[in-house]
């Protein structure tokens, strides 16, 4: 007796377990072909980090917030955004297009439908591909063989069962086809996934490096530049404290939540035995 | 691990000379600026004691950073320069962290931080005696064995002259470094402050130190503090607080160091608070590079001598109870602020040191410490 002789419900249980194993192995195979050193931190800027974390929309959100913080954009009484400066003050193509987009007052969300801004994000995408944080043609080619093997296994086992069932006059195959379809969809999604293992690790490392910044987010001041940009890039613009950046709550209403969970004070873990030897901050030897 | 510069020697084979590196101490407040400006920063130093209980992802992130920029691991909690042996668990913790982060080097202090069960909460200058030299050597040897290499040892600043000290600071440092056979982390502002506070001249203090051992240099700033009225010694003293810019004389001292120290220094600017705009710190990095370059131009030929390995100094003999008892007494004085019956030779310095430690403890506990004449006398705070 083979598995294909199992009754409907029993075969579905078997197929679900089989598909889970195949998809896990596919995931591991993809991770294996993508392994490598974490991309260099020096080669990535806040816009690329935002793109890595959440795609072009996150890069656009960061651009608006950064330009507002620098005074190059302003918010009208009606909550719309308008440019306060010329494009020559932009630091990259996205900022330039953003300033041009808001030459006349518009809602912040209007950027998401602006084709020129989407095109301006293409350079970030290309950079992330070049450092291995996003999947390019080479990564997708490396993923292809494991994906094809997985697809053949998933479709093949389901297909054999379909043939056996039909030959025995059984036509109740809807659940099997749905399960097979879902599995194939997941396999295809794994093949097409934009992120890579190296990109995931880069983002995890950035979150590790800036966990202290996140913990003291409520003390971030306007005009701080590096801290504002990095906090927003790594964790999202909703992390910026509303007291200092009130426009964030109005720009992207769904983003201002209390889920950040960070404390207002910095956590100073340095110690010399029971006490600490730190100076003004966390750690350090100053008097 | 320092980047090397190729140097032609008389038309013969090229000798690669390690390049001097200049960077910053890693602080959460500086993290964004550091990562954004890694192209201008050669080296980063992290405080080990901040990481012992840090989440694994934070340590893993620093490991990634260490793979991309030279990273020094700086301990503050061992108290190596003590006649008492450092607890094995503390040494093991630092060694485990070093194994995880794989830094370019590890450093600690020639200081004591506890005595008789009392945690001082700060780096304190031990009595400058043979006992503390032997203790430093023995403790450093144990740490070296755990690490697999010798840590660099740092001179510290002190507001109070250590009691019962027959040796000068320079003589004690030289002997301790030789006994431990360890590289030297020369904190220039510490040396500068000690020279000004105790009647010396900074350049002269520098001249008698074993600069051939220097591997790391710390730069920082401080401010002058004034004893309360009626103090035995009314002179102001320079507090090494790490929250001010590096002063001009310290950059001048760096140029002097560069004339004699071997190439491949790691020069680290320490800033623990009152953070300026990051451009200010980048300007100080540039200034440090210029000082190093000026010093190197004047350098005469010197043999590059890497530290030769583990010390062969004997362990501190049991029964060194007198030295340990003195450290205990000093630890209690520095933390109790009950100085009324103390016959310390430098009561003003002791008051200032104890108040500074109390202020730091209060800050760590989130309390405001009010420095007043009354609290300077009995520094338990409000």
């Amino acid at each position: 007796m083979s598995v294909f002789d199992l009754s409907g419900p029993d075969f579905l249980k078997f197929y679900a377990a089989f598909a889970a194993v195949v998809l896990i192995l596919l995931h591991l195979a993809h991770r294996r072909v993508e392994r490598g050193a974490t991309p260099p931190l020096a080669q990535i800027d806040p816009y690329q980090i935002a793109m890595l974390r959440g795609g072009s929309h996150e890069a656009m959100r960061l651009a608006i917030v950064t330009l507002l913080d620098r005074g190059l954009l302003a918010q009208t009484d009606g909550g719309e955004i308008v440019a306060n400066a010329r494009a020559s003050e932009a630091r990259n193509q996205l900022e330039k297009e953003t300033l041009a987009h808001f030459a006349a007052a518009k809602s912040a969300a209007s950027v998401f439908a602006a084709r020129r801004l989407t095109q301006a994000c293409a350079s970030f995408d290309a950079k992330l591909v070049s450092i291995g944080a996003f999947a390019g043609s080479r990564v997708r080619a490396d993923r292809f063989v494991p994906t094809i093997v997985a697809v053949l296994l998933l479709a093949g086992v389901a297909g054999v069962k379909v043939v056996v069932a039909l030959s025995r006059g059984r036509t109740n195959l809807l659940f099997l086809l749905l399960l097979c379809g879902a599995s194939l969809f997941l396999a295809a999604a794994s093949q097409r996934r934009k992120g890579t293992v190296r990109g995931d690790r880069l983002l995890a490392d950035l979150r590790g490096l800036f966990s202290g910044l996140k913990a003291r987010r409520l003390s971030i001041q306007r005009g701080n530049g590096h801290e504002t940009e990095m906090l927003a890039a790594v964790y999202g613009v909703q992390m910026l404290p509303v007291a200092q950046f009130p426009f964030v709550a109005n720009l992207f209403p769904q983003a201002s939540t209390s889920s950040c969970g960070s404390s207002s004070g910095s956590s100073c873990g340095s110690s010399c035995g029971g006490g600490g030897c730190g100076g003004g901050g966390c750690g350090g030897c100053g008097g | 691990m320092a980047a090397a510069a190729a140097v032609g020697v008389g038309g013969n084979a090229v000798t690669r000379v390690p390049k001097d590196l200049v960077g910053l101490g890693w602080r959460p407040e500086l993290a964004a600026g550091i990562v954004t400006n890694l192209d201008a920063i050669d080296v980063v130093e992290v405080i080990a004691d901040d990481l012992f209980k840090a989440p694994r992802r934070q340590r893993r992130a620093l490991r990634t950073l260490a793979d991309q920029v030279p990273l020094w691991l700086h301990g503050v909690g061992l108290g190596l320069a003590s006649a008492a042996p450092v607890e094995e668990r503390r040494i093991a913790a630092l060694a485990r962290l070093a194994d995880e982060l794989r830094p370019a080097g590890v450093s600690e202090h020639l200081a004591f931080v506890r005595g008789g069960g009392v945690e001082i909460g700060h780096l304190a200058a031990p009595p400058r005696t043979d006992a503390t030299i032997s203790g430093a050597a023995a403790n450093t040897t144990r740490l070296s064995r755990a690490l697999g290499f010798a840590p660099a040892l740092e001179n510290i600043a002190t507001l109070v002259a250590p009691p019962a000290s027959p040796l000068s600071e320079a003589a004690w440092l030289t002997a301790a470094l030789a006994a431990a056979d360890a590289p030297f982390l020369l904190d220039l502002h510490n040396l500068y402050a000690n020279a000004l506070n105790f009647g010396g001249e900074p350049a002269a203090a520098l001249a008698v130190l074993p600069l051939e051992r220097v591997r790391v240099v710390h730069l920082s700033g401080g401010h002058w503090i004034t004893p309360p009225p009626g103090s035995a010694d009314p002179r102001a003293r320079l507090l090494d607080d790490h929250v001010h810019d590096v002063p001009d004389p310290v950059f001048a001292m760096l140029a002097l160091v560069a004339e004699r120290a071997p190439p491949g220094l790691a020069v680290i600017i320490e800033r623990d608070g009152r953070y300026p705009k990051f451009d200010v710190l980048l300007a100080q990095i540039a200034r440090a590079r210029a000082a190093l370059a000026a010093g190197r131009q004047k350098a005469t030929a010197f043999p590059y001598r890497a530290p030769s390995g583990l010390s062969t100094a004997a362990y501190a003999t049991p029964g060194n109870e007198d030295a340990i008892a003195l450290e205990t007494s000093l630890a209690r004085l520095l933390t109790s602020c009950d100085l009324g019956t103390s016959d310390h030779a430098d009561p003003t310095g002791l008051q200032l040191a104890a108040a500074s430690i109390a202020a730091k403890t209060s800050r760590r506990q989130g309390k405001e410490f009010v420095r007043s004449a009354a609290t300077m006398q009995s520094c338990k705070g409000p």
Side-chain angles (χ1 to χ4, degrees):
Chain A
M1 181 179 172
S2 76
V3 293
F4 298 105
D5 295 318
L6 290 173
S7 67
D10 289 337
F11 185 80
L12 281 176
K13 289 177 196 170
F14 159 76
Y15 189 81
F18 171 75
V21 169
V22 168
L23 290 171
I24 288 171
L25 289 175
L26 176 63
H27 173 71
L28 292 174
H30 283 170
R31 287 183 68 87
R32 189 180 165 82
V33 302
E34 293 172 20
R35 68 183 172 187
T38 305
L41 296 165
Q43 292 187 19
I44 192 164
D45 72 24
Y47 282 105
Q48 291 156 6
I49 295 170
M51 185 92 180
L52 175 66
R53 179 176 51 78
S56 56
H57 284 192
E58 283 301 309
M60 292 174 197
R61 285 192 178 97
L62 178 63
I64 292 175
V65 166
T66 299
L67 291 169
L68 279 166
D69 189 42
R70 284 156 54 196
L72 303 183
L73 287 177
Q75 196 169 29
T76 66
D77 292 338
E80 290 186 320
I81 305 297
V82 65
N84 225 7
R86 287 194 297 273
S88 58
E89 301 201 43
R91 295 177 307 183
N92 54 47
Q93 189 64 24
L94 177 61
E95 288 188 359
K96 187 178 169 188
E97 294 296 343
T98 303
L99 288 172
H101 178 80
F102 288 111
K106 296 186 186 71
S107 72
S110 64
V111 295
F112 300 140
R115 193 164 47 91
R116 291 180 69 94
L117 268 73
T118 304
Q119 287 172 345
C121 292
S123 65
F124 304 143
D125 193 284
K127 176 65 177 184
L128 290 169
V129 169
S130 74
I131 63 173
F134 268 359
S137 55
R138 186 175 166 209
V139 168
R140 291 210 162 92
D142 289 340
R143 287 175 181 170
F144 188 69
V145 169
T147 303
I148 281 296
V149 169
V151 164
L152 288 175
L153 284 171
L154 291 167
V157 168
V160 169
K161 180 60 178 174
V162 166
V163 168
V164 167
L166 289 175
S167 71
R168 293 175 184 175
R170 304 228 165 89
T171 57
N172 188 6
L173 298 166
L174 178 63
F175 286 117
L176 175 61
L177 292 174
L178 285 174
L179 198 52
C180 177
S183 303
L184 291 175
F185 175 80
L186 289 174
S190 184
Q191 169 68 24
R192 286 172 34 236
R193 190 175 89 97
K194 198 167 181 66
T196 63
V197 167
R198 295 174 70 193
D200 294 343
R201 198 179 314 136
L202 173 60
L203 200 53
D205 282 344
L206 287 166
R207 285 178 174 144
L209 289 176
F210 294 116
S211 55
L213 177 61
K214 182 184 173 187
R216 37 180 289 275
R217 70 180 189 96
L218 295 179
S219 66
I220 305 285
Q221 300 294 315
R222 289 286 300 271
N224 195 304
H226 294 134
E227 292 205 304
T228 302
E229 284 185 2
M230 204 54 86
L231 183 67
V234 176
Y235 297 104
V237 299
Q238 70 274 13
M239 272 293 176
L240 295 171
V242 173
Q244 303 295 332
F245 302 86
F247 48 79
V248 172
N250 297 330
L251 285 177
F252 312 113
Q254 78 283 4
S256 279
T257 69
S258 59
S259 62
C260 305
S262 48
S263 62
S264 56
S266 65
S267 58
C268 183
S270 75
S271 66
C272 285
C277 303
C282 201
C285 330
Chain B
M1 190 171 292
V7 175
V9 180
N12 295 329
V14 170
T15 304
R16 300 201 83 83
V17 177
K19 181 187 150 206
D20 294 326
L21 308 176
V22 185
L24 285 170
W26 178 271
R27 305 286 182 270
E29 293 84 351
L30 300 178
I34 289 173
V35 172
T36 309
N37 292 281
L38 275 177
D39 53 346
I41 294 170
D42 303 324
V43 59
V44 171
E45 180 187 81
V46 297
I47 303 294
D49 302 65
D50 287 345
L51 301 174
F52 290 140
K53 294 181 182 172
R56 187 165 164 266
R57 62 181 166 82
Q58 189 178 343
R59 300 198 307 273
R60 190 177 58 214
L62 286 170
R63 167 66 193 278
T64 299
L65 186 66
D67 287 341
Q68 301 181 11
V69 62
L71 185 141
W72 274 77
L73 188 60
H74 190 52
V76 299
L78 289 187
L80 292 175
S82 168
V86 173
E87 292 168 278
E88 188 58 37
R89 64 179 178 88
R90 299 184 193 276
I91 288 177
L94 184 56
R96 272 196 306 272
L97 184 62
D99 194 52
E100 187 176 352
L101 296 188
R102 301 198 192 165
V106 175
S107 57
E108 248 286 1
H109 298 83
L110 284 168
F112 82 112
V113 300
R114 58 186 63 86
V118 175
E119 293 289 335
I120 300 172
H122 189 51
L123 303 159
R128 297 180 184 133
T129 62
D130 286 343
T132 53
I133 289 170
S134 295
N139 287 324
T140 304
T141 297
R142 289 169 57 219
L143 178 59
S144 300
R145 288 196 174 131
L147 291 171
F149 53 86
L153 301 178
E154 181 180 352
N155 58 306
I156 66 162
T158 180
L159 289 172
V160 55
S165 296
L167 298 171
S168 67
E169 180 186 16
W172 184 84
L173 281 173
T174 302
L177 288 164
D181 196 18
F184 189 7
L185 191 170
L186 175 56
D187 190 307
L188 284 175
H189 192 264
N190 287 351
L191 191 74
Y192 176 69
N194 288 352
L196 295 185
N197 288 340
F198 298 106
E201 206 278 310
L206 195 59
V208 295
L209 290 177
L211 297 186
E212 70 281 0
R213 283 190 177 272
V214 175
R215 179 71 180 87
V216 187
V217 176
H218 276 179
L219 305 176
S220 59
H223 78 287
W224 290 91
I225 55 175
T226 307
S231 296
D233 182 354
R235 291 175 304 153
R237 301 197 187 195
L238 182 57
L239 174 66
D240 174 59
D241 61 12
H242 290 197
V243 299
H244 293 82
D245 291 346
V246 180
D248 294 344
V250 171
F251 284 115
M253 292 168 76
L254 178 61
L256 292 176
V257 171
E259 290 182 28
R260 288 177 46 200
L265 294 176
V267 178
I268 292 159
I269 295 175
E270 297 181 290
R271 189 69 179 241
D272 292 347
R274 290 184 58 193
Y275 298 99
K277 285 200 177 298
F278 204 78
D279 287 346
V280 172
L281 295 174
L282 289 175
Q284 292 189 20
I285 288 175
R287 199 164 164 197
R289 286 205 179 97
L292 282 167
R296 293 298 185 202
Q297 282 189 341
K298 293 183 186 175
T300 53
F302 49 73
Y304 175 54
R305 175 180 173 274
S308 57
L310 299 179
S311 166
T312 55
Y315 278 73
T317 55
N320 206 350
E321 291 89 2
D322 287 346
I324 295 173
L326 183 55
E327 288 174 23
T328 301
S329 165
L330 195 52
R332 288 186 180 139
L333 283 174
L334 287 169
T335 52
S336 73
C337 297
D338 182 10
L339 307 173
T341 56
S342 166
D343 59 356
H344 194 282
D346 183 10
T348 303
L350 192 56
Q351 274 184 334
L352 291 173
S356 174
I357 290 169
K360 186 179 285 189
T361 303
S362 292
R363 278 198 300 274
R364 270 200 303 277
Q365 294 170 349
K367 299 174 191 167
E368 185 181 344
F369 179 77
V370 178
R371 186 190 295 278
S372 67
T375 52
M376 287 294 283
Q377 293 292 339
S378 172
C379 54
K380 288 178 181 154

